[in-house]
Amino acid sequence: MWEVAVIEDAAAAGVTLDPIRARLLAELVQPGSASSLAARVGQPRQKVNYHLRELERHGLLELVEERRKGNMTERVLQATASSYVISPAALAAVEPDPARSPDRLSARWLLAVGARLVRDVGALITGATKAGKRVATYALDGEVRFATAHDRAAFAEELTNAVTGLVAKYHDEKAAGGRTYRVIMAVHPSIPPTASDDTKATETAASELPANERKES
């Protein structure tokens, strides 16, 4: 079982959006059967079995074993991952395109860049899994607290210059056998761990901006 899997197929994404099926996926982090799940999710065994077959048909469940019970065969299934991410590729016609309106200071552009990251890494994982290989990736995750908006702007400028310098140092357009990698740097306000809804997130983001900048990004 994978820790996280990316769903790229629109039909598979639609299957996971059904509340009962999403609950079944969560329950099947540990192997289970229609009979064992029916009481837990409050649904008849026949209906649970139908949902399980749909999830299995879209590659979200895998067969662990079959147990013979009298004149019946009980199928034990498990989720293929403990969590799932729906790739923007599943909504290809309306997926965000960062190239459409690039703006390093726009929260919506950052969201579009993040969506592209999910799509691209998801595609790499899918391809690497089929080839039986690992994907060479690196991620840096941290927090920084700025005293003022001026400090935040200065940090962004210095970060841009530092990354630009590193790219210029190591980029080799003509290297034989070289491989191109995408570089993404993102900085955003941290949402308090106690935030219980989107309102807290909105308030946190707005509080980081000077009064004359507090508008939709």
Side-chain angles (χ1 to χ4, degrees):
M1 173 189 284
W2 299 103
E3 175 61 31
V4 61
V6 180
I7 298 173
E8 299 174 298
D9 178 69
V15 166
T16 64
L17 296 178
D18 178 274
I20 295 297
R21 292 172 182 174
R23 171 77 185 280
L24 291 171
L25 278 177
E27 293 286 347
L28 286 172
V29 169
Q30 299 297 327
S33 65
S35 298
S36 66
L37 290 167
R40 276 187 272 170
V41 300
Q43 296 287 326
R45 184 187 62 80
Q46 292 84 352
K47 191 168 185 179
V48 169
N49 193 52
Y50 165 73
H51 289 311
L52 294 179
R53 289 192 179 280
E54 283 298 295
L55 289 167
E56 186 179 10
R57 186 166 69 88
H58 288 91
L60 301 169
L61 297 179
E62 57 188 1
L63 181 65
V64 175
E65 63 174 312
E66 292 184 326
R67 301 169 180 166
R68 191 70 181 175
K69 284 192 172 183
N71 61 350
M72 293 180 55
T73 300
E74 183 179 59
R75 305 179 78 248
V76 179
L77 300 161
Q78 185 174 26
T80 54
S82 57
S83 58
Y84 297 87
V85 174
I86 297 177
S87 169
L91 298 171
V94 292
E95 68 174 302
D97 179 7
R100 206 150 39 217
S101 54
D103 179 357
R104 289 184 307 181
L105 301 181
S106 167
R108 294 188 184 279
W109 185 71
L110 174 58
L111 186 63
V113 171
R116 182 180 63 190
L117 177 64
V118 171
R119 182 199 66 196
D120 290 353
V121 174
L124 286 169
I125 290 174
T126 299
T129 300
K130 291 178 179 178
K133 297 181 179 180
R134 295 185 62 183
V135 183
T137 62
Y138 171 79
L140 178 64
D141 181 21
E143 291 187 354
V144 56
R145 183 178 178 86
F146 300 111
T148 65
H150 178 271
D151 287 350
R152 189 187 71 240
F155 175 86
E157 183 176 357
E158 288 186 42
L159 181 63
T160 299
N161 292 337
V163 174
T164 300
L166 283 170
V167 170
K169 178 180 179 179
Y170 289 100
H171 179 69
D172 190 337
E173 186 70 36
K174 299 179 180 179
R179 183 172 183 179
T180 302
Y181 282 76
R182 182 177 298 278
V183 179
I184 297 174
M185 299 295 295
V187 178
H188 62 82
S190 297
I191 308 302
T194 55
S196 58
D197 51 38
D198 291 340
T199 301
K200 291 279 186 69
T202 303
E203 291 174 352
T204 301
S207 68
E208 296 291 326
L209 296 171
N212 62 347
E213 292 183 29
R214 293 179 188 174
K215 59 183 181 180
E216 187 180 58
S217 298

